[in-house]
Amino acid sequence: MKAKDIFPVQDMLFAGDGDIEISGISYDTRKLQKGDAFFALPGHMTDGKNFIREAAEKGASVIISQEKADNVVLPQIIVKNIFSFMSEFSAKFYNYPDREMTIIGITGTNGKTTITYMIESILAHCGISCGVIGTVNYRYGGKVFNAPNTTPQSADIYKMMREMCSCAIRYLVMEVSSHALALGRVAGIDFDIAVFTNLTRDHLDFHKDIESYFAAKSLLFSELGKGIKSNIKYAIINADDKYGKKLFKIDINAKKKSYGVKTNEVDFKAANINVSSVGSEFNVIAANAMAERVKIKHIGLHNIYNVLSSIAACVACGIDFKRVVEALNGCTQAPGRLERVNTKNLGFEIVVDYAHTDDALKNVLSALNDLKPKRIITLFGCGGDRDRTKRPLMGKIAVEMSDFVFVTSDNPRTEDPLQIILDIEVGIKRIGKTNYKIIADREHAIKEAVMMAKKGDIILLAGKGHETYQITGTQKIPFNDIEFAQKYLDLKEKQKASLKSWQTQQKEFDF
């Protein structure tokens, strides 16, 4: 494609030869290929304009930035909003693959990942291949890619969509983060179905306040129907959520479908709920008429909401309601979402969960308390360089809903881990609780939790979920909660065997 073929996209200034060939798109000089258009994106840690010279030396064909770069002989495009421009540019470069697909976007604070897995399972059961872009990974056509961001940059999204179309994949299920919406990473993508899960405190370091956070999430819905695809669009909204109710009142160019457990007048409702240690069972009533019994391996009320939204989205795709329910009965769980660790018949349970907000931690602990274990031992920390306001709230919830808590580190990044823990401790001390211990070293904390557990207990390792690293400073260090739990389960099992052997020898001696 020639540079001039991209024009006009939006307000822009161009200087240079419009006939120059563009063979790809890059915003990272480490991955840049000769002939790529280089986008100098501003960032939190660094600024792409600092890499323009390197991009030119590596063979970039065009430089796109928000400020004109001096001493660069390459053609330049100067734009006001480089993120939304990159989305429009990528759409045109990859020839609008979103127009060839049914795209389901999922947004909200919690539940996005589990819903993508549920919808993927339902579609697969119905013989429909789909691509998935989300927090755990990006996957399609038998390929799996690491996910540095829940919602990647627009150039990556369009590239993946084009590759999906080349593999005859016509469905895409995508987690859409508030950052992506606010920064224009999904600007112009023609979504067919948008799902809203809930909205609670998170990412306020970026959005500043909850209303701005909601405004960002709302963009996914307000943009529905603005593309050229003529099919009916759907907005699937949690009617039990405060911000879901607010969203439902907004004028949206789509059919609104509601779901809930507490609200009676909804399109998809759960009733007669029964949750046990092996899963959940409940009725789903659709359109106040059809009712089907659903059985899933997932536990917790929050997962019942996830099921309802998944059913609504798939029915909106045109799949028969009964077939959707049938598919759900066999669906698998998302990695790191109440994922069980094999505890080698030691008599207690360990679950790993991604809960890293006060609301998510509350949901998970509620689910575990419903199982009526002897004790709940919770281990958690809070991320550094992120919203500080949730730290004391998570501390309060953890000690109120657990029998004992280990407060530890979870991706401290450039902050002092002990200072983060002090912020958490503020919420604990405020309510006068003492059922906790601070161990900043996460591995050591996991060891103590495992050694402390007795028959009938549940250990919750919260915060990291599917993550297999710890971010300290700017370095990602390998760290896997499950592997460390297994390491100390092995140790505990050996200690138990040694004790049993010693007791046997004592009995023989006494005899």
Side-chain angles (χ1 to χ4, degrees), residues 283-336:
N283 290 339
V284 176
I285 304 160
N288 290 318
M290 295 181 288
E292 292 290 334
R293 193 72 175 162
V294 174
K295 294 179 184 177
I296 54 171
K297 295 174 184 173
H298 310 63
I299 61 171
L301 184 62
H302 61 293
N303 276 318
I304 293 171
Y305 281 98
N306 293 337
V307 165
L308 292 173
S309 62
S310 301
I311 291 175
C314 290
V315 170
C317 286
I319 303 172
D320 178 70
F321 172 62
K322 285 189 176 182
R323 203 172 179 200
V324 170
V325 171
E326 179 186 298
L328 269 170
N329 290 335
C331 77
T332 55
Q333 288 184 268

Short mmCIF file of all heavy atoms in Angstrom, two decimals, residues 283-336:
data_model
loop_
_atom_site.label_atom_id
_atom_site.label_comp_id
_atom_site.label_asym_id
_atom_site.label_seq_id
_atom_site.Cartn_x
_atom_site.Cartn_y
_atom_site.Cartn_z
N ASN A 283 -31.85 -22.42 37.51
CA ASN A 283 -32.71 -22.26 36.35
C ASN A 283 -32.39 -20.94 35.66
O ASN A 283 -32.15 -19.93 36.32
CB ASN A 283 -34.18 -22.24 36.75
CG ASN A 283 -34.65 -23.61 37.21
OD1 ASN A 283 -34.04 -24.63 36.90
ND2 ASN A 283 -35.73 -23.64 37.98
N VAL A 284 -32.41 -20.95 34.35
CA VAL A 284 -32.32 -19.70 33.59
C VAL A 284 -33.64 -19.50 32.87
O VAL A 284 -34.10 -20.37 32.12
CB VAL A 284 -31.17 -19.73 32.55
CG1 VAL A 284 -31.18 -18.44 31.72
CG2 VAL A 284 -29.83 -19.88 33.25
N ILE A 285 -34.25 -18.38 33.15
CA ILE A 285 -35.54 -18.05 32.54
C ILE A 285 -35.29 -16.97 31.50
O ILE A 285 -34.79 -15.89 31.81
CB ILE A 285 -36.54 -17.55 33.59
CG1 ILE A 285 -36.68 -18.60 34.71
CG2 ILE A 285 -37.89 -17.23 32.96
CD1 ILE A 285 -37.23 -18.05 35.99
N ALA A 286 -35.61 -17.28 30.26
CA ALA A 286 -35.38 -16.34 29.16
C ALA A 286 -36.71 -15.78 28.68
O ALA A 286 -37.66 -16.52 28.44
CB ALA A 286 -34.67 -17.04 28.00
N ALA A 287 -36.75 -14.46 28.55
CA ALA A 287 -37.93 -13.76 28.03
C ALA A 287 -39.20 -14.16 28.79
O ALA A 287 -40.28 -14.27 28.21
CB ALA A 287 -38.10 -14.05 26.53
N ASN A 288 -39.04 -14.37 30.11
CA ASN A 288 -40.18 -14.70 30.99
C ASN A 288 -40.94 -15.95 30.54
O ASN A 288 -42.09 -16.14 30.91
CB ASN A 288 -41.15 -13.52 31.08
CG ASN A 288 -40.54 -12.38 31.85
OD1 ASN A 288 -39.90 -12.58 32.87
ND2 ASN A 288 -40.73 -11.17 31.34
N ALA A 289 -40.32 -16.79 29.76
CA ALA A 289 -41.05 -17.95 29.28
C ALA A 289 -40.18 -19.20 29.34
O ALA A 289 -40.37 -20.06 30.19
CB ALA A 289 -41.52 -17.71 27.84
N MET A 290 -39.21 -19.30 28.47
CA MET A 290 -38.37 -20.49 28.41
C MET A 290 -37.55 -20.62 29.69
O MET A 290 -36.99 -19.65 30.19
CB MET A 290 -37.42 -20.40 27.22
CG MET A 290 -38.13 -20.41 25.87
SD MET A 290 -36.93 -20.34 24.52
CE MET A 290 -36.37 -18.65 24.63
N ALA A 291 -37.46 -21.83 30.20
CA ALA A 291 -36.64 -22.08 31.39
C ALA A 291 -35.85 -23.35 31.20
O ALA A 291 -36.39 -24.36 30.74
CB ALA A 291 -37.53 -22.18 32.62
N GLU A 292 -34.59 -23.28 31.51
CA GLU A 292 -33.72 -24.44 31.40
C GLU A 292 -32.84 -24.53 32.64
O GLU A 292 -32.45 -23.50 33.21
CB GLU A 292 -32.82 -24.34 30.15
CG GLU A 292 -33.57 -24.46 28.83
CD GLU A 292 -34.10 -25.86 28.56
OE1 GLU A 292 -33.53 -26.83 29.09
OE2 GLU A 292 -35.09 -25.97 27.82
N ARG A 293 -32.54 -25.75 33.08
CA ARG A 293 -31.66 -25.96 34.22
C ARG A 293 -30.21 -25.96 33.74
O ARG A 293 -29.86 -26.67 32.78
CB ARG A 293 -31.99 -27.31 34.88
CG ARG A 293 -31.37 -27.51 36.27
CD ARG A 293 -32.04 -26.66 37.31
NE ARG A 293 -31.54 -26.91 38.66
CZ ARG A 293 -31.73 -26.05 39.66
NH1 ARG A 293 -32.38 -24.91 39.47
NH2 ARG A 293 -31.28 -26.32 40.87
N VAL A 294 -29.38 -25.14 34.38
CA VAL A 294 -27.97 -25.04 34.00
C VAL A 294 -27.12 -25.67 35.11
O VAL A 294 -27.34 -25.44 36.29
CB VAL A 294 -27.55 -23.57 33.82
CG1 VAL A 294 -26.05 -23.45 33.59
CG2 VAL A 294 -28.31 -22.94 32.67
N LYS A 295 -26.13 -26.46 34.71
CA LYS A 295 -25.18 -27.05 35.66
C LYS A 295 -23.78 -26.69 35.19
O LYS A 295 -23.40 -27.02 34.07
CB LYS A 295 -25.33 -28.57 35.71
CG LYS A 295 -26.65 -29.07 36.26
CD LYS A 295 -26.68 -30.59 36.25
CE LYS A 295 -28.03 -31.12 36.70
NZ LYS A 295 -28.11 -32.60 36.61
N ILE A 296 -23.03 -26.01 36.05
CA ILE A 296 -21.66 -25.63 35.69
C ILE A 296 -20.70 -26.01 36.81
O ILE A 296 -21.12 -26.19 37.96
CB ILE A 296 -21.54 -24.12 35.40
CG1 ILE A 296 -22.08 -23.30 36.58
CG2 ILE A 296 -22.23 -23.75 34.10
CD1 ILE A 296 -21.82 -21.82 36.48
N LYS A 297 -19.43 -26.10 36.46
CA LYS A 297 -18.42 -26.43 37.47
C LYS A 297 -18.03 -25.21 38.31
O LYS A 297 -17.38 -25.34 39.33
CB LYS A 297 -17.18 -27.00 36.77
CG LYS A 297 -17.43 -28.32 36.06
CD LYS A 297 -16.20 -28.74 35.27
CE LYS A 297 -16.50 -30.01 34.48
NZ LYS A 297 -15.38 -30.37 33.58
N HIS A 298 -18.38 -24.03 37.83
CA HIS A 298 -18.01 -22.79 38.51
C HIS A 298 -18.83 -22.62 39.79
O HIS A 298 -20.00 -23.02 39.84
CB HIS A 298 -18.27 -21.59 37.60
CG HIS A 298 -17.69 -21.72 36.23
ND1 HIS A 298 -18.09 -22.68 35.34
CD2 HIS A 298 -16.75 -20.98 35.60
CE1 HIS A 298 -17.41 -22.55 34.22
NE2 HIS A 298 -16.58 -21.52 34.34
N ILE A 299 -18.23 -21.99 40.79
CA ILE A 299 -18.97 -21.68 42.02
C ILE A 299 -19.07 -20.17 42.18
O ILE A 299 -18.30 -19.41 41.59
CB ILE A 299 -18.30 -22.32 43.25
CG1 ILE A 299 -16.87 -21.76 43.45
CG2 ILE A 299 -18.27 -23.83 43.15
CD1 ILE A 299 -16.24 -22.17 44.77
N GLY A 300 -20.04 -19.74 43.00
CA GLY A 300 -20.17 -18.32 43.31
C GLY A 300 -21.23 -17.62 42.49
O GLY A 300 -21.41 -17.89 41.30
N LEU A 301 -21.92 -16.68 43.16
CA LEU A 301 -22.97 -15.92 42.49
C LEU A 301 -22.42 -15.12 41.31
O LEU A 301 -23.10 -14.96 40.28
CB LEU A 301 -23.62 -14.97 43.52
CG LEU A 301 -24.81 -14.15 43.04
CD1 LEU A 301 -25.97 -15.07 42.63
CD2 LEU A 301 -25.27 -13.18 44.13
N HIS A 302 -21.19 -14.62 41.45
CA HIS A 302 -20.63 -13.81 40.35
C HIS A 302 -20.52 -14.63 39.06
O HIS A 302 -20.65 -14.08 37.97
CB HIS A 302 -19.27 -13.24 40.76
CG HIS A 302 -18.21 -14.25 41.07
ND1 HIS A 302 -18.27 -15.09 42.16
CD2 HIS A 302 -17.05 -14.55 40.44
CE1 HIS A 302 -17.21 -15.86 42.19
NE2 HIS A 302 -16.45 -15.56 41.15
N ASN A 303 -20.30 -15.93 39.19
CA ASN A 303 -20.23 -16.75 37.99
C ASN A 303 -21.60 -17.01 37.38
O ASN A 303 -21.71 -17.28 36.18
CB ASN A 303 -19.52 -18.07 38.30
CG ASN A 303 -18.01 -17.93 38.22
OD1 ASN A 303 -17.50 -17.28 37.30
ND2 ASN A 303 -17.30 -18.49 39.17
N ILE A 304 -22.65 -16.93 38.19
CA ILE A 304 -24.01 -17.06 37.64
C ILE A 304 -24.32 -15.83 36.78
O ILE A 304 -24.93 -15.95 35.71
CB ILE A 304 -25.01 -17.26 38.79
CG1 ILE A 304 -24.72 -18.62 39.44
CG2 ILE A 304 -26.45 -17.16 38.29
CD1 ILE A 304 -25.46 -18.89 40.71
N TYR A 305 -23.87 -14.66 37.21
CA TYR A 305 -24.00 -13.47 36.36
C TYR A 305 -23.22 -13.66 35.05
O TYR A 305 -23.69 -13.28 33.98
CB TYR A 305 -23.50 -12.22 37.10
CG TYR A 305 -24.48 -11.66 38.10
CD1 TYR A 305 -24.37 -11.96 39.44
CD2 TYR A 305 -25.53 -10.84 37.69
CE1 TYR A 305 -25.27 -11.45 40.37
CE2 TYR A 305 -26.43 -10.32 38.61
CZ TYR A 305 -26.30 -10.63 39.94
OH TYR A 305 -27.21 -10.13 40.85
N ASN A 306 -22.03 -14.25 35.17
CA ASN A 306 -21.23 -14.47 33.96
C ASN A 306 -21.96 -15.40 32.98
O ASN A 306 -21.93 -15.20 31.76
CB ASN A 306 -19.87 -15.07 34.34
CG ASN A 306 -19.00 -14.10 35.12
OD1 ASN A 306 -19.19 -12.88 35.03
ND2 ASN A 306 -18.06 -14.62 35.89
N VAL A 307 -22.62 -16.43 33.53
CA VAL A 307 -23.38 -17.35 32.69
C VAL A 307 -24.52 -16.61 31.98
O VAL A 307 -24.74 -16.78 30.77
CB VAL A 307 -23.95 -18.51 33.55
CG1 VAL A 307 -25.04 -19.26 32.78
CG2 VAL A 307 -22.83 -19.46 33.94
N LEU A 308 -25.24 -15.80 32.74
CA LEU A 308 -26.40 -15.10 32.15
C LEU A 308 -25.98 -14.20 30.99
O LEU A 308 -26.64 -14.16 29.94
CB LEU A 308 -27.11 -14.29 33.23
CG LEU A 308 -27.82 -15.09 34.32
CD1 LEU A 308 -28.33 -14.15 35.42
CD2 LEU A 308 -28.98 -15.89 33.75
N SER A 309 -24.89 -13.47 31.17
CA SER A 309 -24.45 -12.58 30.09
C SER A 309 -23.97 -13.38 28.88
O SER A 309 -24.18 -12.98 27.74
CB SER A 309 -23.34 -11.65 30.58
OG SER A 309 -22.20 -12.38 30.97
N SER A 310 -23.33 -14.53 29.15
CA SER A 310 -22.85 -15.38 28.04
C SER A 310 -24.04 -15.94 27.25
O SER A 310 -24.01 -15.98 26.01
CB SER A 310 -22.01 -16.53 28.59
OG SER A 310 -20.91 -16.04 29.30
N ILE A 311 -25.07 -16.37 27.97
CA ILE A 311 -26.26 -16.89 27.30
C ILE A 311 -26.89 -15.78 26.44
O ILE A 311 -27.22 -16.00 25.26
CB ILE A 311 -27.28 -17.41 28.33
CG1 ILE A 311 -26.76 -18.68 29.01
CG2 ILE A 311 -28.64 -17.68 27.67
CD1 ILE A 311 -27.65 -19.19 30.13
N ALA A 312 -27.04 -14.61 27.03
CA ALA A 312 -27.67 -13.50 26.31
C ALA A 312 -26.89 -13.15 25.04
O ALA A 312 -27.47 -12.91 23.97
CB ALA A 312 -27.77 -12.28 27.22
N ALA A 313 -25.55 -13.13 25.15
CA ALA A 313 -24.72 -12.78 23.98
C ALA A 313 -24.87 -13.83 22.88
O ALA A 313 -24.96 -13.49 21.69
CB ALA A 313 -23.26 -12.64 24.41
N CYS A 314 -24.87 -15.10 23.28
CA CYS A 314 -24.95 -16.16 22.25
C CYS A 314 -26.34 -16.23 21.62
O CYS A 314 -26.46 -16.51 20.42
CB CYS A 314 -24.54 -17.49 22.87
SG CYS A 314 -22.77 -17.56 23.25
N VAL A 315 -27.37 -15.99 22.41
CA VAL A 315 -28.72 -15.93 21.83
C VAL A 315 -28.81 -14.76 20.85
O VAL A 315 -29.42 -14.87 19.78
CB VAL A 315 -29.79 -15.83 22.95
CG1 VAL A 315 -31.16 -15.52 22.36
CG2 VAL A 315 -29.83 -17.13 23.75
N ALA A 316 -28.16 -13.64 21.20
CA ALA A 316 -28.12 -12.48 20.30
C ALA A 316 -27.40 -12.82 19.00
O ALA A 316 -27.67 -12.23 17.95
CB ALA A 316 -27.44 -11.30 20.98
N CYS A 317 -26.50 -13.79 19.06
CA CYS A 317 -25.81 -14.25 17.83
C CYS A 317 -26.71 -15.12 16.96
O CYS A 317 -26.34 -15.49 15.85
CB CYS A 317 -24.57 -15.08 18.20
SG CYS A 317 -23.19 -14.12 18.83
N GLY A 318 -27.88 -15.47 17.50
CA GLY A 318 -28.82 -16.27 16.72
C GLY A 318 -28.80 -17.76 17.07
O GLY A 318 -29.41 -18.57 16.38
N ILE A 319 -28.08 -18.12 18.15
CA ILE A 319 -28.01 -19.53 18.56
C ILE A 319 -29.21 -19.87 19.43
O ILE A 319 -29.61 -19.07 20.30
CB ILE A 319 -26.69 -19.81 19.30
CG1 ILE A 319 -25.49 -19.41 18.43
CG2 ILE A 319 -26.58 -21.28 19.70
CD1 ILE A 319 -24.15 -19.47 19.14
N ASP A 320 -29.76 -21.04 19.23
CA ASP A 320 -30.94 -21.47 19.97
C ASP A 320 -30.66 -21.51 21.48
O ASP A 320 -29.61 -22.01 21.91
CB ASP A 320 -31.36 -22.86 19.48
CG ASP A 320 -32.55 -23.40 20.24
OD1 ASP A 320 -33.65 -22.86 20.06
OD2 ASP A 320 -32.35 -24.35 21.04
N PHE A 321 -31.59 -21.02 22.28
CA PHE A 321 -31.43 -20.93 23.74
C PHE A 321 -31.09 -22.29 24.36
O PHE A 321 -30.16 -22.42 25.18
CB PHE A 321 -32.70 -20.35 24.34
CG PHE A 321 -32.76 -20.36 25.84
CD1 PHE A 321 -31.84 -19.65 26.59
CD2 PHE A 321 -33.75 -21.08 26.50
CE1 PHE A 321 -31.89 -19.66 27.98
CE2 PHE A 321 -33.82 -21.09 27.89
CZ PHE A 321 -32.88 -20.38 28.62
N LYS A 322 -31.84 -23.32 23.99
CA LYS A 322 -31.61 -24.64 24.58
C LYS A 322 -30.22 -25.17 24.23
O LYS A 322 -29.56 -25.81 25.03
CB LYS A 322 -32.67 -25.63 24.08
CG LYS A 322 -34.04 -25.42 24.74
CD LYS A 322 -34.97 -26.55 24.39
CE LYS A 322 -36.30 -26.39 25.13
NZ LYS A 322 -37.23 -27.49 24.85
N ARG A 323 -29.79 -24.90 23.03
CA ARG A 323 -28.47 -25.35 22.60
C ARG A 323 -27.37 -24.63 23.37
O ARG A 323 -26.34 -25.21 23.71
CB ARG A 323 -28.32 -25.11 21.09
CG ARG A 323 -27.28 -26.00 20.47
CD ARG A 323 -27.27 -25.90 18.98
NE ARG A 323 -26.23 -26.75 18.42
CZ ARG A 323 -25.73 -26.60 17.22
NH1 ARG A 323 -26.19 -25.65 16.43
NH2 ARG A 323 -24.79 -27.40 16.78
N VAL A 324 -27.61 -23.36 23.66
CA VAL A 324 -26.64 -22.58 24.43
C VAL A 324 -26.50 -23.18 25.83
O VAL A 324 -25.39 -23.38 26.35
CB VAL A 324 -27.08 -21.10 24.52
CG1 VAL A 324 -26.22 -20.34 25.53
CG2 VAL A 324 -26.99 -20.44 23.15
N VAL A 325 -27.63 -23.47 26.47
CA VAL A 325 -27.61 -24.04 27.82
C VAL A 325 -26.92 -25.40 27.81
O VAL A 325 -26.12 -25.71 28.69
CB VAL A 325 -29.05 -24.15 28.36
CG1 VAL A 325 -29.07 -24.93 29.67
CG2 VAL A 325 -29.63 -22.75 28.57
N GLU A 326 -27.22 -26.20 26.82
CA GLU A 326 -26.60 -27.52 26.69
C GLU A 326 -25.07 -27.38 26.60
O GLU A 326 -24.33 -28.13 27.23
CB GLU A 326 -27.13 -28.18 25.41
CG GLU A 326 -26.56 -29.55 25.11
CD GLU A 326 -27.05 -30.03 23.74
OE1 GLU A 326 -28.27 -30.21 23.58
OE2 GLU A 326 -26.21 -30.20 22.84
N ALA A 327 -24.62 -26.38 25.87
CA ALA A 327 -23.17 -26.16 25.72
C ALA A 327 -22.54 -25.72 27.04
O ALA A 327 -21.43 -26.11 27.38
CB ALA A 327 -22.92 -25.11 24.64
N LEU A 328 -23.26 -24.90 27.81
CA LEU A 328 -22.72 -24.39 29.07
C LEU A 328 -22.47 -25.50 30.07
O LEU A 328 -21.56 -25.42 30.91
CB LEU A 328 -23.70 -23.37 29.66
CG LEU A 328 -23.50 -21.92 29.26
CD1 LEU A 328 -24.67 -21.10 29.73
CD2 LEU A 328 -22.19 -21.37 29.85
N ASN A 329 -23.29 -26.52 30.02
CA ASN A 329 -23.16 -27.61 30.99
C ASN A 329 -21.80 -28.30 30.91
O ASN A 329 -21.39 -28.97 31.85
CB ASN A 329 -24.28 -28.63 30.79
CG ASN A 329 -25.63 -28.07 31.20
OD1 ASN A 329 -25.70 -27.16 32.03
ND2 ASN A 329 -26.71 -28.56 30.62
N GLY A 330 -21.10 -28.11 29.81
CA GLY A 330 -19.79 -28.75 29.69
C GLY A 330 -18.64 -27.77 29.59
O GLY A 330 -17.52 -28.15 29.25
N CYS A 331 -18.90 -26.50 29.86
CA CYS A 331 -17.86 -25.50 29.61
C CYS A 331 -16.76 -25.55 30.67
O CYS A 331 -17.00 -25.92 31.82
CB CYS A 331 -18.43 -24.10 29.50
SG CYS A 331 -18.88 -23.34 31.04
N THR A 332 -15.56 -25.20 30.27
CA THR A 332 -14.40 -25.25 31.17
C THR A 332 -14.21 -23.92 31.87
O THR A 332 -14.74 -22.89 31.45
CB THR A 332 -13.13 -25.57 30.37
OG1 THR A 332 -13.00 -24.61 29.31
CG2 THR A 332 -13.19 -26.97 29.77
N GLN A 333 -13.42 -23.94 32.94
CA GLN A 333 -13.16 -22.72 33.69
C GLN A 333 -11.96 -21.98 33.11
O GLN A 333 -11.06 -22.59 32.52
CB GLN A 333 -12.89 -23.06 35.15
CG GLN A 333 -14.14 -23.50 35.90
CD GLN A 333 -13.89 -23.74 37.36
OE1 GLN A 333 -13.57 -24.83 37.77
NE2 GLN A 333 -14.02 -22.69 38.15
N ALA A 334 -11.96 -20.68 33.29
CA ALA A 334 -10.82 -19.87 32.84
C ALA A 334 -9.64 -20.09 33.79
O ALA A 334 -9.84 -20.25 35.00
CB ALA A 334 -11.22 -18.40 32.82
N PRO A 335 -8.42 -20.09 33.27
CA PRO A 335 -7.24 -20.25 34.14
C PRO A 335 -7.18 -19.15 35.19
O PRO A 335 -7.45 -17.97 34.90
CB PRO A 335 -6.07 -20.13 33.16
CG PRO A 335 -6.66 -20.38 31.81
CD PRO A 335 -8.07 -19.92 31.87
N GLY A 336 -6.84 -19.53 36.42
CA GLY A 336 -6.64 -18.53 37.47
C GLY A 336 -7.91 -17.90 37.98
O GLY A 336 -7.87 -16.87 38.65
#
